[in-house]
Every structure is written in C-alpha cells, then in structure tokens.
Amino acid sequence: MLPDFVSVNPETKEEALAFLDSIGDARVIAGGTDLLVNMKRGESCRNVVDIMNVEGLNRLSVNDGEIVIGSTVTHAAISTITILNDMARSLSAACGLIGSPQIRNMGTVGGNLVNASPAADSISPLLIHDAILSIESKDETREETLENFIIAPYETSLKPCELLTSVCIKALPGYREGYRRTAKRAAWAISRLSVAWAILEDEGRFVDVKLAIGSCTPMPFRPRSVEEFLRGRTKVDPTIGEAVVMVTEEIRKITGDRPSFAYKLPVVSDLVQKALRG
Amino acid sequence: MKNVSFVLNGKRVSCEVQDRELLLHTLRERFSIKSVKEGCGIGECGTCTVLIDNEPHYSCLTLASKVNGHDVKTVEYLGDADHLHPLQKAFIESGAVQCGYCTPGMLLSAYSLLMKNGNPGENEIKEAISGNLCRCTGYIQIVEAIRDAAGLCKCKS
C-alpha cells in the first residue's frame, strides 16, 4: 500500500511547472519504477505530479548531429530507436540492459538521471556524450552539464520547483562506441561495474578517447587524466596497460582504498582494457 | 479520487480510483480480475504483469490513474477454459505450468512478443520473459511452449 497523496496529471509543461511552483511537498513521477518502490519502503509526500502525459516531454529529435531526448522517453524507446543505435550506440546498448522489459517500458531517461543511482546504466554513456540537461521552472530555464547535475549518490541539483525536461547530446561520428557491464546475472540485474567508451582512432593511434566508469565510485565518472594521456598515443599494449593502471589510480583517488577493490579493480581493468583494444 | 476510462480486454470501462491506487488493486478489486497477482510488490517478479498498449508493464508499480485513455490487457483477453488461446494450449502441452502463479504474467509477456515477432528465436524469447520469474519450471518448458505457439497463433492487438 502506498502512503496517501494527491496526484495531478498535467498535459502541458506550463501546467506541470505551475503545479510544481504552487504546491508544496511534491514529487514528480514519470515511470514510477524508483519512486513508488521508495514510497512502498516508507518515503512519503503530500503531492505527486505525474508528467507522463505532458505533451512534448516524450519527444526525441535529431538535428545536425545534435540529439535532444525528452525526459520521459523510455529506456525501451532509447534501446530500440534506430537513429540512436547509429548515433549514440553506448546509450542505446546501456538502456537495453536496464532492468527487465517491463521496467524498460515504464522507466524513463529523466527518471534514471534524477534518481542518480551510482549504478544507473544511462549515466556513463551520457557522460561520454557530454550531456547537457535542460531544467525548467515556472520562472527560469537553465542548462547544466550532467557532470554537475549529480552532486552525490541519489542527489542532484534539481530544486523542488524544477523539472528536468530534456537531455541534449552530440553524436560522435567516426568513433567506435559501446557499453559493457558486469552484473550478478545476465538479465534483470543491477550493474556491478560498467564502462562506456567512445574512441576515435587513426592509423593505429588514439586520436580521442572518452571513457566513463559506472557503479564503482559514488557517481559514474570520466577518468579525464587517462583520456588526456591516451590522446595522440600509439595503440600498443604497454600504453593500454599504463592507461588501465591510471584508471585504477583515479578510482583510488576518489574513494580511497575499499574492501571491494579485490573484486572491482581487476574487473574494471579488464573492462577498460577490452574497450581500448576494441 | 479520479475518474479513469480505459479499454480493458477489449471493452471500454470507467471507474473511480484513489490517487494512490495501483493498477494491480484496481484490476483485482474493482474488476475482479484475480489473474493479476501481487508477488514482490516492487517490480521484480512479474506476476502482476499486464499489457498497456500491448507492452508489458508491472501493475504493482503503475498508478491506476496512468491508464486513463489507454488499452489494458490481462490474460483473460487471450482465452478462457473453454476457448484456450494456442499460446495457452502450448503452455499446457509443454508442461510450462506447474504451480501457475507466474503463468498469467508469463503468457502476457509471451503474447506481447508474438504480436511484434511471429517467429522469435530462443534468445528473443528469453529476453521477452526475463522480467517474469518462475520458480517451478526452470524456464525450458516455457521457452519451448512459446516457440511451439509462435507458428500456430495470430496474436492480435
């Protein structure tokens, strides 16, 4: 049984923003796959604003290599829309691994970001695409990078009156791109470690490397020093080996030594190595 | 309270629901559809699966107000004891039903797959039912049943 609340089902963005501005103690619901579970476990609020009927928020548009994904686009849509498969392969692969078919039909990219789990599959691919989020309130529209949006596990910069309306990413033409993860089972499992990558190579050299590691640190992150190190270097085993060691050092810098490192560091090393080798 | 109107198993229906009411409870208590069951209650086991606009959803995590204007199907849509759907027959013939608790949800996930893909491969079948847990059969008979039914039936929306 859910705690008692009053819900509204706005049909336009303006209506939704007006609700968020005027009613206190409100939570936004999209697919509900995180929020309702948390409510069943004891979280409560007086008001719920259901944004699934809001016109335009479920739109996906592509313009000149720029992809704008509305916040209520579902994981199922992201994993099956051909154009995303071509232009943001790591993202569509990651969204195809989230939960189960039912969860993917319900859960949305906006919900995944606002929930801000360290294990959220969509975050790492969006980080390598330098995602910029559009956040709106009744009086203001602002943009924020995904990197700045998530400020701690399960915590974002979103204010109570604000709504995440869309995510904008740029295609990375010419890059080979992907997402791999390990989990306790092949399906219907939470990611234990993940790597998203987009790598541009030319004649045996790394021209540009973008990496993001998920489920390892409090927030998925880009090991920037490693990306910098690899830029322009020849793609040979010693260089890849050095990069892998640097990744583990970056993780150590973020979290300090952890008991889980006995498992995590070898696995993340293997994932990164495979990503770099291709 | 909210008034919701939707299509339930092919028939237009409407009812008053509480704001916090879950579709699972609306179907069980207001429409006496007991095939939709609460297992884990947190969207992990799949026994509450229903089709909304022909796609599987967990009704234990779906607010009833969300289905206003949509199409909802439960296993009753497929057939009844006297007129079994070929998919239901295949489940019986393959031994894909043991305790039966997961079966309605399993059938709906399978039905949704067959609506989109008339000739699914083994991996596609496994993927389609990956959100429905069965603790009796070990899944092999279920996968076989869906494969056998694929050639025989037309899954209509």
Side-chain angles (χ1 to χ4, degrees):
Chain A
M1 180 70 98
L2 291 170
D4 208 7
F5 57 75
V6 174
S7 70
V8 287
N9 301 66
E11 289 179 0
T12 66
K13 199 166 68 183
E14 291 66 32
E15 229 183 307
L17 296 176
F19 277 128
L20 288 173
D21 185 67
S22 61
I23 53 179
D25 193 19
R27 298 291 302 268
V28 170
I29 188 171
T33 57
D34 287 315
L35 182 68
L36 295 186
V37 172
N38 292 340
M39 283 183 145
K40 287 184 176 197
R41 288 176 174 157
E43 264 183 35
S44 65
C45 60
R46 283 212 316 276
N47 297 291
V48 166
V49 180
D50 188 337
I51 58 164
M52 269 327 239
N53 293 338
V54 172
E55 204 194 328
L57 287 190
N58 66 350
R59 199 170 298 149
L60 185 130
S61 62
V62 180
N63 195 355
D64 207 19
E66 196 176 81
I67 308 158
V68 179
I69 309 167
S71 56
T72 64
V73 174
T74 62
H75 306 309
I78 292 177
S79 64
T80 52
I81 291 172
T82 319
I83 196 151
L84 280 180
N85 234 310
D86 295 341
M87 295 177 81
R89 189 167 187 74
S90 60
L91 180 65
S92 65
C95 288
L97 293 169
I98 293 175
S100 61
Q102 288 91 327
I103 293 289
R104 294 195 287 276
N105 285 330
M106 298 165 72
T108 64
V109 66
N112 211 220
L113 298 183
V114 172
N115 188 54
S117 159
D121 287 291
S122 73
I123 295 178
S124 298
L126 289 171
L127 284 176
I128 63 170
H129 279 272
D130 297 308
I132 294 174
L133 315 188
S134 283
I135 296 162
E136 296 185 41
S137 63
K138 188 168 153 272
D139 303 316
E140 194 193 0
T141 298
R142 65 183 177 97
E143 290 189 337
E144 188 160 45
T145 61
L146 175 56
E147 249 166 335
N148 289 335
F149 178 71
I150 300 173
I151 53 184
Y154 304 102
E155 210 178 308
T156 70
S157 71
L158 203 67
K159 297 189 205 89
C161 64
E162 287 182 326
L163 183 66
L164 169 61
T165 52
S166 66
V167 184
C168 179
I169 59 174
K170 286 200 169 57
L172 295 166
Y175 286 67
R176 69 178 163 84
E177 201 182 308
Y179 180 80
R180 277 186 78 150
R181 68 175 208 174
T182 55
K184 282 190 177 172
R185 298 179 298 238
W188 207 177
I190 288 170
S191 166
R192 300 301 298 261
L193 270 175
S194 64
V195 174
W197 68 88
I199 298 168
L200 186 64
E201 290 172 29
D202 185 37
E203 294 183 359
R205 298 179 93 81
F206 291 116
V207 176
D208 189 28
V209 175
K210 296 167 193 288
L211 291 172
I213 318 281
S215 299
C216 193
T217 51
M219 300 168 251
F221 78 105
R222 294 262 302 261
R224 303 263 182 195
S225 67
V226 184
E227 296 180 358
E228 198 56 47
F229 166 77
L230 286 168
R231 192 162 297 133
R233 284 190 194 250
T234 316
K235 186 181 169 185
V236 288
D237 280 353
T239 302
I240 290 173
E242 217 174 314
V244 167
V245 172
M246 286 174 77
V247 168
T248 61
E249 279 163 7
E250 285 230 9
I251 292 167
R252 226 182 274 275
K253 252 189 255 169
I254 296 169
T255 64
D257 273 316
R258 292 277 184 95
S260 59
F261 278 5
Y263 165 75
K264 282 192 169 173
L265 295 189
V267 175
V268 85
S269 298
D270 187 55
L271 289 172
V272 170
Q273 192 182 77
K274 282 188 177 131
L276 292 175
R277 283 208 176 117
Chain B
M1 297 291 277
K2 289 188 162 46
N3 190 272
V4 293
S5 299
F6 58 105
V7 175
L8 176 58
N9 294 331
K11 279 188 200 139
R12 210 168 282 280
V13 296
S14 65
C15 66
E16 292 275 311
V17 300
Q18 289 178 30
D19 287 23
R20 64 167 167 175
E21 189 168 319
L22 293 163
L23 179 61
L24 165 78
H25 297 125
T26 309
L27 293 173
R28 286 182 63 86
E29 285 143 35
R30 299 188 193 277
F31 293 98
S32 296
I33 293 180
K34 307 287 187 185
S35 63
V36 183
K37 293 189 286 298
E38 180 158 34
C40 67
I42 51 170
E44 292 189 355
C45 75
T47 192
C48 70
T49 298
V50 299
L51 302 187
I52 301 178
D53 300 336
N54 298 323
E55 292 294 339
H57 286 65
Y58 293 133
S59 64
C60 76
L61 291 181
T62 301
L63 292 178
S65 56
K66 278 184 178 288
V67 299
N68 190 37
H70 291 272
D71 178 88
V72 178
K73 289 184 177 75
T74 67
V75 77
E76 284 73 12
Y77 182 79
L78 271 65
D80 57 34
D82 298 326
H83 308 89
L84 288 173
H85 187 274
L87 191 57
Q88 291 171 310
K89 278 189 199 153
F91 265 58
I92 295 169
E93 280 157 17
S94 301
V97 183
Q98 287 186 29
C99 87
Y101 204 81
C102 73
T103 310
M106 204 60 94
L107 282 164
L108 288 168
S109 288
Y111 191 82
S112 175
L113 169 71
L114 296 184
M115 261 193 272
K116 290 172 284 194
N117 182 349
N119 187 22
E122 188 174 323
N123 284 339
E124 288 167 314
I125 294 173
K126 286 181 177 173
E127 174 73 37
I129 59 167
S130 62
N132 296 78
L133 302 187
C134 171
R135 284 295 170 261
C136 302
T137 63
Y139 301 102
I140 291 168
Q141 298 91 327
I142 296 174
V143 173
E144 280 173 4
I146 298 169
R147 207 180 41 212
D148 290 348
L152 299 171
C153 67
K154 226 175 129 64
C155 293
K156 62 189 193 304
S157 62

